[in-house]
């Protein structure tokens, strides 16, 4: 395992597109965080900086940074398809890696990047929470940290989809386009077509994004105003419902397992020329 | 001698094209074994199967008498077709990856780069190297971990004469060190210079296999003519003096059986009332023998 990690480390850290995409990921991540306090100044009645306080910061940051996982999936697509175009999968097999190890190698990259993304969200949330919170107890600070577990699963799932697409298509540009088309076009269109049916919540990307859902803003503002009367959410109907949380997690794990299974089957069958 | 590679009934087709058919080969320890054949004869397919790149349709092979597995491949040094490495990495970093795959120490990198005469370029990126250097790096990578077996597929392909000589020299050094070599080539001269055993393939089938000295020795042939070449050919065909009688430019070309001399042919013709007025003894080139063998089937 260590040996596979070392190999991936050499490949990734010296690969310019990886470094550039990762740098862009940081830039977008930082912009995402900086943009909200800016909005705050434009809307004086609703203070968005409330969202930067414990315990809501965990949910809020997980929600706003969730789309950036797509960039990590793009990295996985690039590094995997490059193995085909450089014929380096073949070289690694010749020198003694099994096909299972080739897949394991990529899955390790997925795990490392997922951990990295989760750690980044976790540490940033912690830092912002410490800066913005005025009521600071350990219990309040740690209240919503469970979302990081879901964020980890979401990041892993995103990259698993990327990995499967890369192994299936093999061509970098086509794989990137396919992934982006699925994420940006196919999923929303299908969601719209199926809007009247419950099945719309079972769409793969939908289940993944629902792992880190939009925070319950009403509850947050209610809490802030110390209102005893709860606003009728059903009347407002501004928050999408979706599947129950447990079923959503089960579906994502099921989809991810299928992605890995099909990736395994593909890796076993691929002819390395 | 210990068995290194045993191939039994190996077959592989690509859609309707038969790449190899029912191939049987035995390679023993210490042999420098050449797989010789024209382009498309199934050499690369055979080596690709035994190095795990592609799977056979039928038949099986054993490395060191055992079922093939990824662990065995770590003890074999292979170069199949052109070497493929990470273009954006230096030679040293590419070799570090191979060391990690093989589970050998990085300390070996210096030795193999030295052997492949690439020490001075160890920091250069793979993409910046010439074809000859890339080929030498492929051989250097194959030598990492000091494997007992080297599998090289067309190691001099596309190289200039200087590059060919350099690569050949490196390979011969390895053979002299007692390593088992499996070398696929379409160049007869290369196999003849490096190998002691050879298997000749054509259209995926084994035409001949054995020691180079037996299969590719320079046969003595004689060129003769007499008043009635047709009659002499008929008489010689029914005799046990010759292996083969061919006609070429009004002459008969005879390949003599062992211990038969040109004088015996002269006596034979004379006893059949045929007077030979032209007789010339010459050696048949290896090239023509190889071409004949491949053409015959």
């Amino acid at each position: 395992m260590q040996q596979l990690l070392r190999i991936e480390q050499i490949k990734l850290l010296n690969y310019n597109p990886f470094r550039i995409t990762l740098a862009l990921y940081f830039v977008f991540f930082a912009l995402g965080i900086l943009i909200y306090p800016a909005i705050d100044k434009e809307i004086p009645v609703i203070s968005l900086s409330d969202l930067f306080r414990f315990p809501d910061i965990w949910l809020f940051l997980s929600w706003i940074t969730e789309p950036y996982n797509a960039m990590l999936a793009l990295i996985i697509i690039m590094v995997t398809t490059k193995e085909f175009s450089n014929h380096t999968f073949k070289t690694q097999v010749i020198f003694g890696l099994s096909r299972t190890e080739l897949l394991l190698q990529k899955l390790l990259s997925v795990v490392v990047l997922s951990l990295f993304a989760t750690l980044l969200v976790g540490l940033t949330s912690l830092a912002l929470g410490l800066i913005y919170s005025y009521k600071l107890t350990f219990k309040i600070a740690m209240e919503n940290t469970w979302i990081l577990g879901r964020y980890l699963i979401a990041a892993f799932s995103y990259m698993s989809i990327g990995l499967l697409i890369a192994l299936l298509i093999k061509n970098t540009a086509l794989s990137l386009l396919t992934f982006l088309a699925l994420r940006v076009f196919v999923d929303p269109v299908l969601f719209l077509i199926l809007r009247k049916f419950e099945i719309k919540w079972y769409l793969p990307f939908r289940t993944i994004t629902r792992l880190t859902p939009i925070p319950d803003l009403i509850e947050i503002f209610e809490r802030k105003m110390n209102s005893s009367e709860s606003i009728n959410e059903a009347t407002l109907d501004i928050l999408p419902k979706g599947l129950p949380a447990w079923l959503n997690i089960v579906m994502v794990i099921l989809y991810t397992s299928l992605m890995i299974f099909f990736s395994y089957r593909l890796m076993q069958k691929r002819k390395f020329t | 001698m210990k068995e290194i590679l045993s191939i039994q009934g190996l077959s592989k087709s690509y859609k309707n094209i038969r790449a190899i058919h029912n191939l049987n080969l035995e390679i023993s320890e210490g042999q420098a074994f050449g797989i010789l054949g024209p382009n498309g004869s199934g050499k690369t397919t055979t080596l690709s199967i035994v190095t795990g790149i592609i799977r056979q349709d039928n038949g099986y092979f054993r490395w060191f008498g055992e079922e093939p597995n990824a662990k065995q491949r770590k003890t074999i040094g292979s170069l199949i077709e052109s070497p493929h490495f990470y273009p954006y990495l230096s030679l040293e970093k590419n070799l570090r990856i191979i060391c990690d795959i093989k589970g050998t120490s990085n300390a070996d990198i210096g030795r193999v780069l030295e052997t492949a005469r690439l020490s001075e370029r160890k920091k250069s990126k793979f993409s910046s190297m010439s074809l000859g250097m890339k080929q030498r790096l492929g051989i250097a990578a194959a030598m990492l971990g000091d494997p007992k077996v080297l599998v090289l597929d067309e190691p001099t392909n596309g190289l200039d004469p200087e590059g060919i000589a350099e690569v050949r020299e490196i390979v011969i050094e390895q053979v002299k060190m007692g390593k088992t070599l499996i070398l696929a080539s379409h160049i007869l001269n290369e196999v003849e210079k490096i190998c002691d055993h050879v298997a000749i393939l054509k259209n995926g089938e084994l035409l001949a296999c054995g020691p180079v000295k037996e299969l590719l020795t320079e046969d003595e042939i004689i060129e003769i003519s007499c008043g009635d070449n047709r009659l002499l050919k008929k008489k010689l065909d029914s005799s046990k003096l010759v292996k083969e009688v061919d006609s070429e430019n009004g002459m008969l070309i005879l390949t003599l059986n062992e211990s038969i001399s040109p004088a015996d042919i002269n006596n034979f013709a004379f006893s059949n009332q045929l007077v030979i007025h032209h007789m010339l003894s010459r050696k048949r080139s290896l090239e023509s023998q190889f071409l004949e063998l491949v053409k015959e089937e």
Side-chain angles (χ1 to χ4, degrees), chain A residues 3 83 91 93 97 99 272, chain B residues 53 73 84 86 93 100:
Chain A
Q3 154 219 21
E83 300 269 15
T91 303
V93 169
L97 281 192
R99 286 159 187 261
F272 300 128
Chain B
I53 304 168
R73 293 202 298 275
H84 296 293
Y86 295 91
K93 281 181 180 160
D100 278 330

Side-chain angles (χ1 to χ4, degrees), chain A residues 23-36:
Chain A
L24 282 174
Y25 173 85
F26 277 116
V27 169
F28 281 109
F29 193 93
L31 280 178
I33 294 162
L34 293 172
I35 214 161
Y36 282 90

Side-chain angles (χ1 to χ4, degrees), chain A residues 6 25 27 49 58 94 103 124 147 177 182 194 218 228 259 264 266:
Chain A
R6 255 200 322 269
Y25 173 85
V27 169
S49 60
W58 303 105
I94 291 172
L103 180 67
T124 315
I147 196 73
L177 276 176
L182 284 173
L194 299 168
I218 296 163
S228 53
M259 300 293 164
Y264 173 80
L266 271 173

Side-chain angles (χ1 to χ4, degrees), chain A residues 158-169:
Chain A
Y158 258 110
M159 285 184 265
S160 302
I161 295 174
L163 180 61
L164 178 65
I165 290 171
L167 290 174
L168 195 67
I169 297 174

Side-chain angles (χ1 to χ4, degrees), chain B residues 1-9 23-29 31-35 46 60-65 180-182 196-199 206 209-211:
Chain B
M1 258 193 291
K2 206 170 134 190
E3 176 194 285
I4 295 290
L5 175 64
S6 166
I7 295 175
Q8 298 296 326
L23 184 67
N24 298 298
L25 285 178
E26 300 285 340
I27 299 168
S28 305
E29 192 176 24
Q31 280 184 346
F33 195 97
I35 300 177
T46 306
Y60 66 90
F61 63 94
R62 300 270 182 276
W63 278 107
F64 315 107
T180 305
L181 171 74
I182 304 171
D196 48 39
H197 282 72
V198 66
L206 183 66
C209 184

Side-chain angles (χ1 to χ4, degrees), chain B residues 7-276:
Chain B
I7 295 175
Q8 298 296 326
L10 212 62
S11 298
K12 174 77 186 173
S13 295
Y14 299 107
K15 289 181 183 165
N16 295 327
I17 301 160
R18 196 175 70 177
I20 50 169
H21 179 66
N22 196 25
L23 184 67
N24 298 298
L25 285 178
E26 300 285 340
I27 299 168
S28 305
E29 192 176 24
Q31 280 184 346
F33 195 97
I35 300 177
L36 184 64
N39 291 332
S41 59
K43 306 181 296 291
T44 300
T45 301
T46 306
L47 295 188
S48 296
I49 291 172
V50 299
T51 51
I53 304 168
I54 53 171
R55 294 178 204 280
Q56 68 270 35
D57 297 334
N58 285 305
Y60 66 90
F61 63 94
R62 300 270 182 276
W63 278 107
F64 315 107
E66 290 172 16
E67 287 275 331
N69 58 60
K71 208 175 163 187
Q72 283 167 351
R73 293 202 298 275
K74 294 180 183 181
T75 63
I76 300 163
S78 311
L79 170 64
I80 308 296
E81 291 180 304
S82 315
H84 296 293
F85 293 100
Y86 295 91
Y88 54 89
L89 291 182
S90 67
L91 307 195
E92 201 175 22
K93 281 181 180 160
N94 268 304
L95 291 181
R96 268 172 59 191
I97 289 178
I98 307 299
C99 279
D100 278 330
I101 293 174
K102 288 188 161 196
T104 58
S105 159
N106 287 348
D108 208 21
I109 293 173
R111 179 189 67 85
V112 296
L113 283 175
E114 189 69 43
T115 312
R117 284 138 221 174
L118 288 167
S119 299
E120 284 170 17
R121 297 293 301 269
K122 66 180 177 184
K123 301 279 179 207
S124 306
K125 281 186 180 172
F126 179 69
S127 57
S128 71
M129 296 171 75
S130 69
L131 189 63
M133 284 177 181
K134 284 179 179 172
Q135 209 73 11
R136 275 171 14 224
L137 180 70
I139 295 173
M143 290 189 300
L144 277 173
D146 203 17
K148 287 189 174 129
V149 184
L150 282 176
V151 179
L152 306 177
D153 179 25
E154 309 270 10
T156 58
N157 217 6
L159 301 184
D160 57 20
E162 197 186 343
I164 290 173
E166 279 175 347
V167 167
R168 219 173 255 176
E169 209 177 303
I170 295 167
V171 176
I172 289 170
E173 268 172 33
Q174 298 303 306
V175 172
K176 280 181 185 163
M177 286 162 67
K179 291 191 195 303
T180 305
L181 171 74
I182 304 171
L183 172 86
S185 178
H186 65 277
I187 307 164
L188 175 73
N189 178 264
E190 190 162 272
V191 172
E192 192 208 349
K193 279 190 175 152
I194 299 172
C195 301
D196 48 39
H197 282 72
V198 66
I200 300 175
L201 298 187
K202 191 198 170 189
N203 294 336
E205 290 196 28
L206 183 66
L207 296 186
C209 184
V212 172
K213 279 182 186 168
E214 280 177 26
L215 279 183
L216 300 170
T217 48
E218 291 186 316
D219 277 346
E220 184 167 25
I221 54 169
I222 54 171
E223 206 178 271
I224 58 170
S225 76
C226 66
D228 190 347
N229 278 353
R230 197 179 294 175
L231 180 63
L232 180 59
K233 184 177 186 308
K234 199 176 163 190
K235 296 276 181 193
L236 282 168
D237 275 339
S238 57
S239 77
K240 288 180 178 176
L241 299 174
V242 292
K243 278 186 203 163
E244 211 179 339
V245 184
D246 282 323
S247 298
E248 195 180 289
N249 302 326
M251 304 277 180
L252 293 179
I253 311 293
L254 314 182
T255 308
L256 304 184
N257 272 326
E258 270 177 51
S259 74
I260 303 297
S261 66
D264 296 327
I265 299 294
N266 196 22
N267 289 338
F268 175 78
F270 189 72
S271 62
N272 284 286
Q273 283 113 41
L274 292 164
V275 179
I276 291 174

